[in-house]
Amino acid sequence: MQTATEKVNLLDLNQQGLTDFFVQMGEKPFRATQIMKWIYHEGVVDFQEMTNLSKALRQKLETVAEIRLPVCVTEQPSADGTQKWLLEMEDGNRIETVFIPEKGRGTLCVSSQVGCTLNCTFCSTATQGFNRNLSTGDIIAQVVFANRTIGKQGNRAELPVTNVVMMGMGEPLMNFDNVMRAMEIMNDDIGCGISRRRITLSTSGVVPMMLRMREVCDVSLAVSLHAPNDELRDELVPINRKYPIKTLLDACKHYVEGKPRRKVTFEYIMIDGVNDTRKHAKQLARILEGVPAKINLIPFNPFPQSDFCRSTPQAIQAFQDILVAAGYTTIVRKTRGDDIDAACGQLVGKVHDRTRRQLKMQQQKVDAGGLLQ
Ligand code: SAH
């Protein structure tokens, strides 16, 4: 949708892009670093407050450029300190962003798409269908927004967001260029200054893009595995039919090759009676042999449209014990913010669905209801 504003959103541009932008305007290249420091270090988004820019330049920027932040529709603080925001973008689509404070760090869970094109059966974002990829500006704006909002609340001198996980709505590798550029700005010292190790991209396993990412942006990699064999993974994570486990694990090995001490994090949702038996744990230990791996067990988070249940604490413990005995660092991810539906897989914005998936699901329900009567 083309809006009335044809202005350049400066959040869409990395340092090089901003430099080119200013040079084209007939300005000095160093204006790029000046403006980035205002935005990403100071959280200033009003040109008039950028006091080291001349008045004339500020005026000119007002007419040709903007720094477009989303509008916060609701803010939900959880009892455990987790904060979830529903953010509306210019076109009316809404996404969710979650801030998770922990001792000495603040992790922001960032969305990469409005909805998702994949159809993982255990994920509530999937029920929303898909509208569009987020722009670089939409992605980095979530970090700027969080730093401004938490910074104000906490009155903190340092930036509140110290870690980013690309684990919000969407499949980040299906929006490759915009996500890579946004992560570059997160990492840039003149940008958010977050080291590559503290930026984690989570993927369901888009193998060709994992290989490309290795070449351009060396962040931490997490893979949503969730099943130890193709038969089960085909059901839970349908993209597995295209890129099966062996191909996926080869890509994982390749990602960390030649990087000592680097590991891939494997996320594994614990779903009662589906993928959580001792047999599954042993199979998982076997297939990960030779892959530098850490394992994150995630207790399944329920949502209304799902029939799955969370594994019992005993099942999770037994599963973890088997993996630890096999030599894998294995942690059970604490469920944060589940009282506000901010936990993994519970993020649903408001997607103007183009895939008609929402409609189809409603139809299926009506049909099923009809059969029951
Ligand atoms: N599409 C990417 C990024 C989303 S990350 C990916 O699949 O990795 C969100 C994480 O939460 C993934 O590991 C996802 O598999 C997990 N998740 C999704 N639904 C969940 C649920 N209901 N309970 C727990 N974890 C879930």
mmCIF file of all heavy atoms in Angstrom, residues 116 118 120 122-124 166-168 170-172 202-204 222-224 226 267 269 298-303 333 344-346, ligand 1:
data_model
loop_
_atom_site.group_PDB
_atom_site.id
_atom_site.type_symbol
_atom_site.label_atom_id
_atom_site.label_comp_id
_atom_site.label_asym_id
_atom_site.label_seq_id
_atom_site.Cartn_x
_atom_site.Cartn_y
_atom_site.Cartn_z
ATOM 1 N N CYS A 116 2.775 -15.778 9.280
ATOM 2 C CA CYS A 116 3.826 -16.710 8.859
ATOM 3 C C CYS A 116 3.293 -17.541 7.699
ATOM 4 O O CYS A 116 2.102 -17.858 7.665
ATOM 5 C CB CYS A 116 4.199 -17.626 10.026
ATOM 6 S SG CYS A 116 5.714 -18.571 9.753
ATOM 7 N N LEU A 118 4.574 -20.522 6.943
ATOM 8 C CA LEU A 118 4.707 -21.935 7.299
ATOM 9 C C LEU A 118 3.499 -22.323 8.125
ATOM 10 O O LEU A 118 2.781 -21.471 8.628
ATOM 11 C CB LEU A 118 6.008 -22.148 8.080
ATOM 12 C CG LEU A 118 7.236 -21.607 7.365
ATOM 13 C CD1 LEU A 118 8.479 -21.847 8.187
ATOM 14 C CD2 LEU A 118 7.378 -22.267 5.998
ATOM 15 N N CYS A 120 3.239 -24.682 10.960
ATOM 16 C CA CYS A 120 3.609 -25.624 12.013
ATOM 17 C C CYS A 120 2.385 -25.855 12.899
ATOM 18 O O CYS A 120 1.722 -24.902 13.309
ATOM 19 C CB CYS A 120 4.779 -25.091 12.825
ATOM 20 S SG CYS A 120 6.235 -24.792 11.810
ATOM 21 N N PHE A 122 1.830 -26.734 15.879
ATOM 22 C CA PHE A 122 1.813 -26.434 17.316
ATOM 23 C C PHE A 122 1.945 -24.935 17.588
ATOM 24 O O PHE A 122 2.114 -24.519 18.727
ATOM 25 C CB PHE A 122 2.996 -27.152 17.986
ATOM 26 C CG PHE A 122 4.268 -26.861 17.238
ATOM 27 C CD1 PHE A 122 4.956 -25.682 17.449
ATOM 28 C CD2 PHE A 122 4.731 -27.737 16.269
ATOM 29 C CE1 PHE A 122 6.084 -25.383 16.718
ATOM 30 C CE2 PHE A 122 5.862 -27.437 15.528
ATOM 31 C CZ PHE A 122 6.536 -26.251 15.769
ATOM 32 N N CYS A 123 1.922 -24.099 16.548
ATOM 33 C CA CYS A 123 2.266 -22.686 16.717
ATOM 34 C C CYS A 123 1.057 -21.798 16.444
ATOM 35 O O CYS A 123 0.384 -21.948 15.420
ATOM 36 C CB CYS A 123 3.398 -22.315 15.760
ATOM 37 S SG CYS A 123 3.895 -20.595 15.918
ATOM 38 N N SER A 124 0.793 -20.889 17.352
ATOM 39 C CA SER A 124 -0.418 -20.083 17.193
ATOM 40 C C SER A 124 -0.264 -19.020 16.103
ATOM 41 O O SER A 124 -1.250 -18.609 15.503
ATOM 42 C CB SER A 124 -0.818 -19.433 18.518
ATOM 43 O OG SER A 124 0.179 -18.559 18.934
ATOM 44 N N MET A 166 15.488 -13.557 17.283
ATOM 45 C CA MET A 166 14.525 -13.443 16.171
ATOM 46 C C MET A 166 13.580 -14.636 16.315
ATOM 47 O O MET A 166 13.651 -15.608 15.562
ATOM 48 C CB MET A 166 15.248 -13.465 14.822
ATOM 49 C CG MET A 166 16.198 -12.317 14.561
ATOM 50 S SD MET A 166 15.452 -10.673 14.586
ATOM 51 C CE MET A 166 14.179 -10.816 13.360
ATOM 52 N N MET A 167 12.729 -14.561 17.322
ATOM 53 C CA MET A 167 11.836 -15.678 17.645
ATOM 54 C C MET A 167 10.397 -15.225 17.818
ATOM 55 O O MET A 167 9.583 -15.912 18.438
ATOM 56 C CB MET A 167 12.291 -16.372 18.939
ATOM 57 C CG MET A 167 13.623 -17.046 18.868
ATOM 58 S SD MET A 167 13.957 -17.991 20.355
ATOM 59 C CE MET A 167 15.662 -18.476 20.091
ATOM 60 N N GLY A 168 10.089 -14.046 17.309
ATOM 61 C CA GLY A 168 8.711 -13.580 17.384
ATOM 62 C C GLY A 168 7.900 -14.178 16.244
ATOM 63 O O GLY A 168 8.147 -15.293 15.790
ATOM 64 N N GLY A 170 6.680 -15.103 12.653
ATOM 65 C CA GLY A 170 7.280 -15.192 11.323
ATOM 66 C C GLY A 170 8.493 -16.094 11.244
ATOM 67 O O GLY A 170 9.047 -16.520 12.259
ATOM 68 N N GLU A 171 8.870 -16.395 10.010
ATOM 69 C CA GLU A 171 10.083 -17.182 9.745
ATOM 70 C C GLU A 171 11.128 -16.213 9.187
ATOM 71 O O GLU A 171 11.017 -15.787 8.024
ATOM 72 C CB GLU A 171 9.764 -18.313 8.756
ATOM 73 C CG GLU A 171 10.967 -19.014 8.168
ATOM 74 C CD GLU A 171 11.996 -19.471 9.200
ATOM 75 O OE1 GLU A 171 11.649 -20.216 10.118
ATOM 76 O OE2 GLU A 171 13.173 -19.061 9.079
ATOM 77 N N PRO A 172 12.132 -15.857 9.997
ATOM 78 C CA PRO A 172 13.070 -14.802 9.569
ATOM 79 C C PRO A 172 13.795 -15.115 8.260
ATOM 80 O O PRO A 172 14.069 -14.201 7.485
ATOM 81 C CB PRO A 172 14.052 -14.692 10.743
ATOM 82 C CG PRO A 172 13.766 -15.820 11.660
ATOM 83 C CD PRO A 172 12.396 -16.327 11.365
ATOM 84 N N SER A 202 16.350 -17.701 14.926
ATOM 85 C CA SER A 202 15.742 -19.023 15.027
ATOM 86 C C SER A 202 15.020 -19.344 13.725
ATOM 87 O O SER A 202 14.244 -18.534 13.219
ATOM 88 C CB SER A 202 14.746 -19.032 16.191
ATOM 89 O OG SER A 202 14.110 -20.283 16.279
ATOM 90 N N THR A 203 15.292 -20.533 13.204
ATOM 91 C CA THR A 203 14.642 -20.926 11.952
ATOM 92 C C THR A 203 14.027 -22.315 12.064
ATOM 93 O O THR A 203 14.515 -23.163 12.818
ATOM 94 C CB THR A 203 15.628 -20.907 10.763
ATOM 95 O OG1 THR A 203 14.921 -21.309 9.573
ATOM 96 C CG2 THR A 203 16.820 -21.836 10.975
ATOM 97 N N SER A 204 12.981 -22.510 11.291
ATOM 98 C CA SER A 204 12.359 -23.829 11.223
ATOM 99 C C SER A 204 13.159 -24.740 10.292
ATOM 100 O O SER A 204 12.854 -25.913 10.166
ATOM 101 C CB SER A 204 10.933 -23.670 10.702
ATOM 102 O OG SER A 204 10.983 -22.960 9.482
ATOM 103 N N ALA A 222 19.719 -20.767 15.984
ATOM 104 C CA ALA A 222 18.853 -21.712 16.687
ATOM 105 C C ALA A 222 17.964 -22.380 15.653
ATOM 106 O O ALA A 222 17.535 -21.736 14.689
ATOM 107 C CB ALA A 222 18.006 -20.992 17.728
ATOM 108 N N VAL A 223 17.725 -23.659 15.845
ATOM 109 C CA VAL A 223 16.906 -24.406 14.884
ATOM 110 C C VAL A 223 15.753 -25.076 15.620
ATOM 111 O O VAL A 223 15.947 -25.734 16.644
ATOM 112 C CB VAL A 223 17.770 -25.458 14.148
ATOM 113 C CG1 VAL A 223 16.903 -26.394 13.318
ATOM 114 C CG2 VAL A 223 18.789 -24.761 13.250
ATOM 115 N N SER A 224 14.553 -24.867 15.102
ATOM 116 C CA SER A 224 13.363 -25.477 15.694
ATOM 117 C C SER A 224 13.252 -26.906 15.194
ATOM 118 O O SER A 224 12.708 -27.145 14.122
ATOM 119 C CB SER A 224 12.122 -24.666 15.279
ATOM 120 O OG SER A 224 12.162 -23.402 15.885
ATOM 121 N N HIS A 226 12.232 -30.090 17.123
ATOM 122 C CA HIS A 226 10.937 -30.592 17.621
ATOM 123 C C HIS A 226 10.615 -32.057 17.377
ATOM 124 O O HIS A 226 9.610 -32.561 17.882
ATOM 125 C CB HIS A 226 9.764 -29.749 17.089
ATOM 126 C CG HIS A 226 9.909 -28.294 17.329
ATOM 127 N ND1 HIS A 226 10.423 -27.767 18.490
ATOM 128 C CD2 HIS A 226 9.603 -27.216 16.551
ATOM 129 C CE1 HIS A 226 10.441 -26.443 18.413
ATOM 130 N NE2 HIS A 226 9.959 -26.084 17.250
ATOM 131 N N GLU A 267 15.989 -26.207 19.349
ATOM 132 C CA GLU A 267 14.787 -26.033 20.159
ATOM 133 C C GLU A 267 13.901 -27.263 19.972
ATOM 134 O O GLU A 267 13.739 -27.759 18.848
ATOM 135 C CB GLU A 267 14.044 -24.767 19.706
ATOM 136 C CG GLU A 267 14.863 -23.513 19.921
ATOM 137 C CD GLU A 267 14.387 -22.367 19.049
ATOM 138 O OE1 GLU A 267 14.710 -22.378 17.835
ATOM 139 O OE2 GLU A 267 13.707 -21.481 19.564
ATOM 140 N N ILE A 269 10.214 -28.603 21.357
ATOM 141 C CA ILE A 269 9.005 -28.411 22.156
ATOM 142 C C ILE A 269 8.592 -29.729 22.770
ATOM 143 O O ILE A 269 8.607 -30.760 22.093
ATOM 144 C CB ILE A 269 7.827 -27.953 21.273
ATOM 145 C CG1 ILE A 269 8.151 -26.655 20.584
ATOM 146 C CG2 ILE A 269 6.579 -27.768 22.104
ATOM 147 C CD1 ILE A 269 6.945 -26.060 19.951
ATOM 148 N N ILE A 298 11.527 -26.907 25.338
ATOM 149 C CA ILE A 298 10.517 -25.863 25.576
ATOM 150 C C ILE A 298 9.189 -26.534 25.912
ATOM 151 O O ILE A 298 8.597 -27.172 25.038
ATOM 152 C CB ILE A 298 10.305 -24.983 24.322
ATOM 153 C CG1 ILE A 298 11.642 -24.547 23.716
ATOM 154 C CG2 ILE A 298 9.431 -23.785 24.645
ATOM 155 C CD1 ILE A 298 11.508 -23.873 22.353
ATOM 156 N N PRO A 299 8.744 -26.422 27.154
ATOM 157 C CA PRO A 299 7.418 -26.982 27.454
ATOM 158 C C PRO A 299 6.374 -26.342 26.534
ATOM 159 O O PRO A 299 6.348 -25.114 26.396
ATOM 160 C CB PRO A 299 7.179 -26.586 28.908
ATOM 161 C CG PRO A 299 8.545 -26.282 29.465
ATOM 162 C CD PRO A 299 9.356 -25.758 28.307
ATOM 163 N N PHE A 300 5.568 -27.164 25.883
ATOM 164 C CA PHE A 300 4.565 -26.653 24.935
ATOM 165 C C PHE A 300 3.655 -25.633 25.621
ATOM 166 O O PHE A 300 3.178 -25.858 26.729
ATOM 167 C CB PHE A 300 3.723 -27.814 24.397
ATOM 168 C CG PHE A 300 2.544 -27.371 23.582
ATOM 169 C CD1 PHE A 300 2.727 -26.863 22.310
ATOM 170 C CD2 PHE A 300 1.254 -27.424 24.101
ATOM 171 C CE1 PHE A 300 1.649 -26.428 21.555
ATOM 172 C CE2 PHE A 300 0.171 -26.994 23.358
ATOM 173 C CZ PHE A 300 0.365 -26.486 22.082
ATOM 174 N N ASN A 301 3.440 -24.522 24.953
ATOM 175 C CA ASN A 301 2.523 -23.510 25.479
ATOM 176 C C ASN A 301 1.190 -23.611 24.758
ATOM 177 O O ASN A 301 1.136 -23.442 23.544
ATOM 178 C CB ASN A 301 3.112 -22.105 25.270
ATOM 179 C CG ASN A 301 4.321 -21.894 26.138
ATOM 180 O OD1 ASN A 301 4.282 -22.151 27.335
ATOM 181 N ND2 ASN A 301 5.415 -21.463 25.539
ATOM 182 N N PRO A 302 0.140 -23.885 25.494
ATOM 183 C CA PRO A 302 -1.158 -24.096 24.852
ATOM 184 C C PRO A 302 -1.766 -22.802 24.313
ATOM 185 O O PRO A 302 -1.422 -21.713 24.781
ATOM 186 C CB PRO A 302 -2.034 -24.651 25.974
ATOM 187 C CG PRO A 302 -1.320 -24.366 27.241
ATOM 188 C CD PRO A 302 0.098 -24.035 26.937
ATOM 189 N N PHE A 303 -2.619 -22.919 23.333
ATOM 190 C CA PHE A 303 -3.398 -21.785 22.834
ATOM 191 C C PHE A 303 -4.726 -22.344 22.358
ATOM 192 O O PHE A 303 -4.845 -23.558 22.100
ATOM 193 C CB PHE A 303 -2.647 -21.020 21.732
ATOM 194 C CG PHE A 303 -2.224 -21.858 20.562
ATOM 195 C CD1 PHE A 303 -3.008 -21.932 19.422
ATOM 196 C CD2 PHE A 303 -1.047 -22.581 20.612
ATOM 197 C CE1 PHE A 303 -2.617 -22.709 18.346
ATOM 198 C CE2 PHE A 303 -0.649 -23.372 19.529
ATOM 199 C CZ PHE A 303 -1.442 -23.430 18.392
ATOM 200 N N ARG A 333 13.762 -24.597 28.922
ATOM 201 C CA ARG A 333 13.536 -23.149 28.863
ATOM 202 C C ARG A 333 12.424 -22.769 29.833
ATOM 203 O O ARG A 333 11.363 -23.375 29.833
ATOM 204 C CB ARG A 333 13.163 -22.718 27.449
ATOM 205 C CG ARG A 333 13.205 -21.211 27.290
ATOM 206 C CD ARG A 333 12.766 -20.787 25.921
ATOM 207 N NE ARG A 333 13.782 -21.016 24.899
ATOM 208 C CZ ARG A 333 13.538 -20.874 23.597
ATOM 209 N NH1 ARG A 333 12.342 -20.541 23.177
ATOM 210 N NH2 ARG A 333 14.496 -21.084 22.716
ATOM 211 N N CYS A 344 6.659 -18.602 24.060
ATOM 212 C CA CYS A 344 6.960 -19.103 22.720
ATOM 213 C C CYS A 344 5.709 -19.645 22.050
ATOM 214 O O CYS A 344 4.969 -20.427 22.649
ATOM 215 C CB CYS A 344 7.946 -20.255 22.788
ATOM 216 S SG CYS A 344 9.478 -19.827 23.552
ATOM 217 N N GLY A 345 5.520 -19.267 20.814
ATOM 218 C CA GLY A 345 4.429 -19.843 20.029
ATOM 219 C C GLY A 345 3.069 -19.282 20.371
ATOM 220 O O GLY A 345 2.060 -19.721 19.837
ATOM 221 N N GLN A 346 3.031 -18.292 21.259
ATOM 222 C CA GLN A 346 1.723 -17.736 21.611
ATOM 223 C C GLN A 346 1.495 -16.354 21.004
ATOM 224 O O GLN A 346 0.532 -15.690 21.315
ATOM 225 C CB GLN A 346 1.593 -17.637 23.133
ATOM 226 C CG GLN A 346 1.506 -18.997 23.797
ATOM 227 C CD GLN A 346 1.263 -18.887 25.286
ATOM 228 O OE1 GLN A 346 1.931 -18.129 25.963
ATOM 229 N NE2 GLN A 346 0.299 -19.623 25.790
HETATM 230 N N1 SAH B 1 9.901 -19.462 12.554
HETATM 231 C C1 SAH B 1 11.053 -19.456 13.412
HETATM 232 C C2 SAH B 1 10.972 -18.345 14.413
HETATM 233 C C3 SAH B 1 9.837 -18.469 15.427
HETATM 234 S S1 SAH B 1 10.631 -18.918 16.879
HETATM 235 C C4 SAH B 1 11.228 -20.832 14.018
HETATM 236 O O1 SAH B 1 10.389 -21.679 13.775
HETATM 237 O O2 SAH B 1 12.228 -21.078 14.671
HETATM 238 C C5 SAH B 1 9.446 -19.393 17.966
HETATM 239 C C6 SAH B 1 9.910 -20.600 18.767
HETATM 240 O O3 SAH B 1 8.814 -21.001 19.571
HETATM 241 C C7 SAH B 1 10.237 -21.755 17.858
HETATM 242 O O4 SAH B 1 11.188 -22.616 18.384
HETATM 243 C C8 SAH B 1 8.895 -22.401 17.790
HETATM 244 O O5 SAH B 1 8.999 -23.673 17.295
HETATM 245 C C9 SAH B 1 8.463 -22.308 19.244
HETATM 246 N N2 SAH B 1 7.024 -22.490 19.433
HETATM 247 C C10 SAH B 1 6.045 -22.302 18.546
HETATM 248 N N3 SAH B 1 4.847 -22.604 19.065
HETATM 249 C C11 SAH B 1 5.078 -22.997 20.328
HETATM 250 C C12 SAH B 1 4.222 -23.404 21.395
HETATM 251 N N4 SAH B 1 2.902 -23.480 21.253
HETATM 252 N N5 SAH B 1 4.792 -23.713 22.579
HETATM 253 C C13 SAH B 1 6.123 -23.610 22.732
HETATM 254 N N6 SAH B 1 6.970 -23.221 21.769
HETATM 255 C C14 SAH B 1 6.455 -22.913 20.574
#
